[in-house]
């Protein structure tokens, strides 16, 4: 019920330039109409069900709620319901073996929906599939954004603040694919916030240090910040990122530790040094629980971690920081100055 | 001591078994597990495979599904003829399935928890062949004795809520020798929708090739649901080797059959003596 409430409270969000259509229902499809009805929209979610079957009855309210939200945002997406009791042909053709089964139809291909079966998760999944320039966000959005593994900028605005909406719409196209832009509308009457609107939250799941935005919300400041945000201050070195680091030829400072907590601690410690050397040095953490062999090959004693080591890709040399000393910003700063 | 020892001995003679020591649990528990202990003694006496029988070459393929708990998917564990034969043996004897509950009640019929029919097929040559295959699957001399096979029929709405196949650790330790060491659940017939076997605590595999055996339309949070496919079996080790206690991740259920009929076969092997 809370989710439904949240969704309804967010309905005014995109209504500025859009006119809502009539209150929507779930679209009922049959074997003949299924293809046409699902391809009439950019994205459709089809639910294959049985009448008078409790698990299907349970999900119906959630689907209706998600359909209404989509309709009111005027998104190019639909929810379709198919009764496999009466439409056996299409259900057999699609190999439906249990109920409810949820599938997503997008660009003519069908994939499985295996997320949670509540209206908010279903709605989020469809939005993800549509991938709009600016995401309308709500309370449960954070996990969705984290799962994308790219940085996110979330602007909180007062619901009638059209200027800030336009601002984020204006810079969003430059960052498509590298940063997710989100907007949360607050109604001051129903939902007072403690901070002054507008403000910006930053999420950067792949950055080992916390980034905050405290500048004025104007186009240039936000644009500059987004530029910097799209490159992590302290990234992660692993098989998916190693090639990028090596090809950049920029010397890499590894923060090597066994636990996530230790890596984040050291990353926070050296944040000032990383900021100072942004552009001339890369900083990344290395999970030595998994990739201990790499730390070993770089010259660290893997029994005395956390440790820090710098790899110069051009000179093909590595410089481990003295592991007998506790890591501090001053120590790292001095060490870097002595090398470069 | 003699006064105490005599009734104990008499009781043992009376029911044909000896129990290791007196129970300090409630009398209900005592009686419940007593009956199971009696059955266990009986099952142990059943010879596995008298020499005259031919053992068919197994035609199955195994797919290791999980190491901890050990779960193996067995493709083609029984062939079509064997499945048909087992069903026909059971067909006239089906009766409502009972539950053997953890609170000590034995043989309750509770359709809201378990709604199916069961029958033990007559032990003819085919049954013995399947028994032998099940025993040898587990390694030469590595399996304990088998419980008599149980054929289960699930019709529209038929299901079995989440449960463990094992008896609780403590109760098993104080009132019976061993426990249900392993389970085969074999699908004999499955012209149905629904009726999958759900393990809510197993993690869904990422590789899509499993989708031929697993219902990949289930939400991730629902765990793993095996599709009912005739001839195929799921095999799992119920007990943890560390302390022989029931593995908590093996909670499972027979999901409701939404159309058609599903017939399954349970093969339970008890703890081997040298384990």
């Amino acid at each position: 019920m809370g989710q439904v409430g949240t969704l309804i409270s967010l309905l005014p969000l995109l209504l500025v330039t859009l006119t809502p259509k009539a209150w929507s229902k779930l679209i009922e499809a049959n074997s003949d109409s299924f293809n046409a009805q699902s391809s009439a929209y950019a994205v459709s979610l089809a639910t294959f069900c049985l009448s008078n079957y409790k698990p299907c009855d349970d999900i119906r309210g959630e689907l209706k709620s998600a359909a209404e939200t989509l309709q009111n945002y005027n998104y190019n997406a639909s929810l379709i319901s198919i009764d496999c009791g009466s439409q056996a042909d299409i259900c057999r053709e699609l190999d439906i073996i249990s109920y409810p089964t949820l599938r997503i139809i997008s660009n003519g291909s069908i994939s499985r929906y295996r997320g949670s079966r509540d209206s908010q998760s279903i709605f989020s999944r469809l939005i993800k599939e549509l991938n709009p320039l600016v995401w309308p966000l709500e309370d449960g959005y954070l996990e969705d954004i984290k799962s994308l593994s790219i940085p996110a900028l979330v602007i909180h605005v007062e619901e009638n603040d059209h200027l800030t909406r336009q601002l984020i719409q204006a810079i969003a196209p430059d960052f498509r694919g590298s940063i997710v832009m989100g907007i949360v509308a607050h109604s001051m009457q129903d939902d007072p916030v403690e901070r002054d609107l507008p403000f910006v939250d930053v999420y950067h799941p792949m950055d080992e240090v916390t980034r905050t935005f405290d500048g004025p919300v104007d186009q240039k400041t936000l644009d500059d910040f987004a530029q910097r945000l799209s490159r992590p201050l302290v990234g992660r070195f692993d098989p998916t990122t190693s090639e990028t680091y090596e090809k950049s030829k920029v010397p890499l400072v590894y923060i090597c530790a066994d636990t996530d907590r230790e890596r984040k601690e050291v990353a926070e410690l050296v944040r000032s040094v990383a900021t100072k050397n942004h552009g001339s040095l890369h900083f990344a953490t290395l999970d030595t629980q998994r990739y201990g062999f790499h730390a070993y090959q770089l010259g660290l004693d893997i029994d005395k971690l956390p440790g820090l080591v710098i790899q110069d890709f051009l000179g093909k040399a590595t410089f481990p920081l003295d592991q007998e000393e506790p890591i501090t910003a001053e120590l790292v700063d001095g060490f870097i100055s002595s090398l470069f | 001591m003699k006064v105490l020892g005599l009734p104990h001995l008499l009781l043992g003679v009376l029911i044909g078994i000896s129990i290791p020591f007196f129970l300090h649990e409630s009398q209900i528990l005592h009686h419940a597990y007593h009956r199971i202990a009696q059955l266990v003694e009986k099952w142990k006496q059943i010879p596995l495979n008298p020499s005259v029988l031919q053992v068919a070459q197994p035609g199955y393929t195994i797919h290791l599904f999980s190491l901890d708990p050990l779960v193996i998917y067995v493709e083609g564990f029984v062939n079509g003829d064997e499945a048909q034969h087992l069903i026909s043996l059971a067909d006239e004897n089906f009766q409502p399935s009972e539950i053997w509950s953890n609170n000590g009640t034995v043989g309750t019929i509770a359709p809201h928890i378990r709604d199916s029919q069961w029958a033990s097929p007559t032990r003819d040559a085919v049954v013995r062949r399947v028994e032998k295959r099940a025993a040898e699957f587990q390694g030469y001399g590595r399996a304990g004795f088998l419980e008599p096979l149980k054929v289960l029929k699930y019709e529209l709405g038929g299901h079995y809520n989440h449960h463990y196949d094992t008896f609780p650790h403590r109760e098993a330790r104080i009132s019976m020798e061993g426990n249900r060491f392993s389970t085969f659940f074999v699908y004999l017939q499955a012209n149905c929708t629904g009726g999958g076997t759900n393990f809510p605590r197993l993690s869904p595999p990422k590789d899509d090739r499993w989708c031929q055996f697993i219902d990949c339309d289930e939400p991730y949070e629902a765990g793993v649901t095996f599709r009912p496919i005739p001839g195929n079996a799921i095999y799992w080790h119920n007990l943890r080797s560390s302390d022989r206690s029931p593995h908590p991740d093996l909670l499972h259920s027979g999901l409701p059959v939404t159309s058609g009929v599903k017939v399954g076969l349970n093969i339970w092997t008890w703890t081997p003596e040298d384990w």
Side-chain angles (χ1 to χ4, degrees):
Chain A
M1 285 303 107
Q3 287 152 349
V4 177
T6 317
L7 290 172
I8 289 170
S9 72
L10 284 160
L11 294 185
L13 205 117
L14 283 186
L15 300 187
V16 188
T17 54
L18 308 170
T19 325
K21 287 183 187 168
W23 205 243
S24 108
K25 298 275 187 311
L26 266 175
I27 301 169
E28 299 282 342
N30 57 42
S31 295
D32 299 327
S33 70
F34 175 74
N35 285 333
Q37 281 175 321
S38 59
S39 53
Y41 293 82
V43 179
S44 295
L45 179 117
T47 303
F48 300 86
C49 251
L50 292 177
S51 47
N52 300 319
Y53 179 50
K54 190 171 181 303
C56 284
D57 298 340
D58 290 347
I59 197 181
R60 216 171 164 77
E62 301 293 333
L63 293 171
K64 279 188 173 160
S65 164
E68 283 161 9
T69 313
L70 282 171
Q71 196 73 35
N72 284 286
Y73 282 144
N74 217 10
Y75 276 127
N76 191 3
S78 70
L79 281 100
I80 298 173
S81 162
I82 298 98
D83 174 19
C84 287
S86 61
Q87 307 300 325
D89 290 354
I90 185 74
C91 297
R92 202 177 308 116
E93 189 186 314
L94 294 173
D95 192 27
I96 306 299
I97 54 164
S98 62
Y99 313 103
T101 282
L102 278 61
R103 301 265 175 92
I104 286 182
I105 302 103
S106 173
N107 294 321
S109 70
I110 300 187
S111 57
R112 304 174 201 273
Y113 173 80
R114 300 186 69 182
S116 299
R117 291 171 169 185
D118 57 85
S119 63
Q120 190 171 328
S121 303
I122 290 167
F123 175 72
S124 303
R125 177 67 182 78
L126 290 170
I127 296 295
K128 220 180 264 186
E129 195 70 34
L130 282 169
N131 193 14
L133 273 177
V134 178
W135 291 41
L137 296 172
E138 54 216 48
D139 287 347
Y141 59 80
L142 197 55
E143 289 311 309
D144 280 342
I145 282 182
K146 281 180 178 167
S147 73
L148 294 175
S149 302
I150 60 172
L153 270 182
V154 177
I155 303 201
H156 294 255
V157 297
E158 203 271 313
E159 59 182 341
N160 297 319
D161 182 356
H162 307 316
L163 216 62
T164 311
R165 283 173 195 281
Q166 281 166 7
L167 189 148
I168 194 164
Q169 289 284 357
I171 64 168
D174 290 343
F175 296 99
R176 178 149 212 159
S178 60
I179 291 181
V180 173
M181 300 282 181
I183 194 158
V184 180
H186 294 272
S187 152
M188 292 316 282
Q189 290 155 333
D190 309 340
D191 178 25
V193 273
E194 285 174 14
R195 292 162 69 184
D196 288 340
L197 293 169
F199 65 88
V200 178
D201 276 339
V202 184
Y203 302 102
H204 198 170
M206 294 307 284
D207 205 332
E208 298 288 43
V209 297
T210 315
R211 310 275 284 263
T212 50
F213 178 86
D214 42 22
V217 182
D218 62 52
Q219 188 160 344
K220 182 167 188 321
T221 319
L222 212 51
D223 198 70
D224 288 350
F225 183 77
Q227 291 287 358
R228 276 181 280 124
L229 185 68
S230 60
R231 299 184 302 266
L233 199 53
V234 179
R236 258 171 242 171
F237 187 93
D238 63 32
T240 64
T241 58
S242 60
E243 206 182 320
T244 316
Y245 283 116
E246 281 160 27
K247 278 192 174 159
S248 74
K249 305 290 183 203
V250 175
L252 177 59
V253 183
Y254 294 86
I255 293 163
C256 304
D258 278 350
T259 65
D260 192 47
R261 192 180 52 83
E262 286 174 322
R263 289 190 293 276
K264 285 216 158 56
E265 267 172 22
V266 180
E268 284 295 342
L269 273 178
V270 302
R271 169 212 282 269
S272 57
V273 190
T275 313
K276 189 172 126 187
N277 294 287
H278 207 47
S280 59
L281 286 179
H282 284 154
F283 283 70
T285 59
L286 179 75
D287 177 355
T288 43
Q289 199 73 50
R290 297 186 71 174
Y291 311 115
F293 60 90
H294 192 55
Y296 177 78
Q297 284 161 3
L298 291 168
L300 284 183
D301 179 350
I302 57 166
D303 294 323
K304 288 180 189 162
L305 295 171
L308 188 139
V309 56
I310 302 173
Q311 184 173 21
D312 178 1
F313 295 109
L314 285 174
K316 295 189 175 23
T318 66
F319 308 96
L321 178 70
D322 182 2
Q323 283 176 272
E324 301 302 330
E325 299 270 333
I327 301 172
T328 63
E330 294 72 39
L331 187 69
V332 177
D333 194 30
F335 182 58
I336 288 171
S337 308
S338 73
L339 291 171
F340 300 100
Chain B
M1 292 313 285
K2 275 200 159 113
V3 182
L4 270 177
L6 191 62
H8 188 178
L9 185 70
L10 277 176
L11 188 67
V13 170
L14 208 65
I15 59 172
I17 59 155
S18 65
I19 45 176
F21 45 83
F22 266 121
L23 296 168
H24 299 289
E25 298 301 304
S26 76
Q27 282 305 104
I28 301 171
L29 257 185
H30 177 90
H31 289 307
Y33 288 104
H34 230 129
R35 207 185 115 189
I36 294 156
Q38 278 179 282
L39 288 170
V40 166
E41 279 306 306
K42 210 172 97 193
W43 297 333
K44 279 169 78 173
Q45 306 310 319
I46 304 170
L48 195 59
N49 190 27
S51 57
V52 283
L53 290 168
Q54 284 265 309
V55 176
Q57 286 299 309
Y60 56 75
T61 307
I62 67 162
H63 304 272
L64 180 60
F65 185 79
S66 160
L67 269 180
D68 182 24
L70 181 70
V71 180
I72 297 174
Y73 191 84
V74 193
E75 204 180 348
F77 184 71
V78 295
N79 65 36
D81 293 341
E82 289 168 336
Q84 269 318 306
H85 184 77
L86 287 165
I87 294 168
S88 66
L89 287 179
D91 242 345
E92 285 138 38
N93 305 313
F94 277 119
Q95 47 186 299
S97 303
E98 298 173 352
I99 30 181
W100 290 357
S101 155
N102 296 350
N103 69 9
T105 42
V106 174
T108 320
I109 295 166
H112 62 290
I113 298 171
R114 180 179 200 177
D115 177 15
S116 67
Q117 295 178 294
W118 71 11
S120 276
T122 322
R123 290 185 78 233
D124 69 356
V126 174
V127 172
R128 285 165 200 240
R129 189 201 298 164
V130 172
E131 286 175 346
K132 174 120 176 157
R133 189 178 305 152
E136 293 191 348
F137 178 92
Q138 303 178 69
Y140 298 125
R142 291 290 192 190
F145 61 90
L146 305 189
E147 252 178 72
L149 307 195
K150 278 244 158 69
V151 176
L152 301 112
K153 182 157 78 174
Y154 296 82
E155 290 172 320
L156 185 64
H159 67 278
Y160 190 176
N161 291 0
H162 285 112
H163 66 280
Y164 295 102
D165 286 355
T166 34
F167 297 97
H169 190 42
R170 180 172 159 76
E171 281 71 15
R173 281 184 65 202
I174 59 180
S175 56
M176 60 187 87
E177 192 183 329
N179 203 334
R180 279 180 180 157
F181 177 72
S182 70
T183 299
F184 282 92
F185 188 77
V186 192
Y187 302 104
L188 298 179
Q189 182 190 317
N191 40 3
C192 62
T193 59
T197 308
N198 173 249
F199 291 77
R201 296 184 186 168
L202 296 184
S203 315
K206 291 204 178 86
D207 194 314
D208 273 353
R209 283 173 290 186
W210 282 109
C211 297
Q212 57 184 312
F213 305 132
I214 283 168
D215 183 354
C216 288
D217 283 306
E218 285 266 292
Y220 289 116
E221 62 201 19
V224 172
T225 299
F226 291 96
R227 308 170 63 150
I229 301 172
N232 295 2
I234 318 159
Y235 169 81
W236 65 90
H237 269 191
N238 285 306
L239 304 178
R240 291 192 284 206
S241 47
S242 54
D243 62 355
R244 304 169 176 224
S245 64
H247 201 301
D249 294 349
L250 287 169
L251 190 70
H252 60 282
S253 72
L255 295 178
V257 169
T258 44
S259 68
V261 178
K262 174 179 87 167
V263 182
L265 169 72
N266 264 330
I267 308 174
W268 284 304
T269 306
W270 279 63
T271 317
E273 275 177 23
D274 59 354
W275 190 64

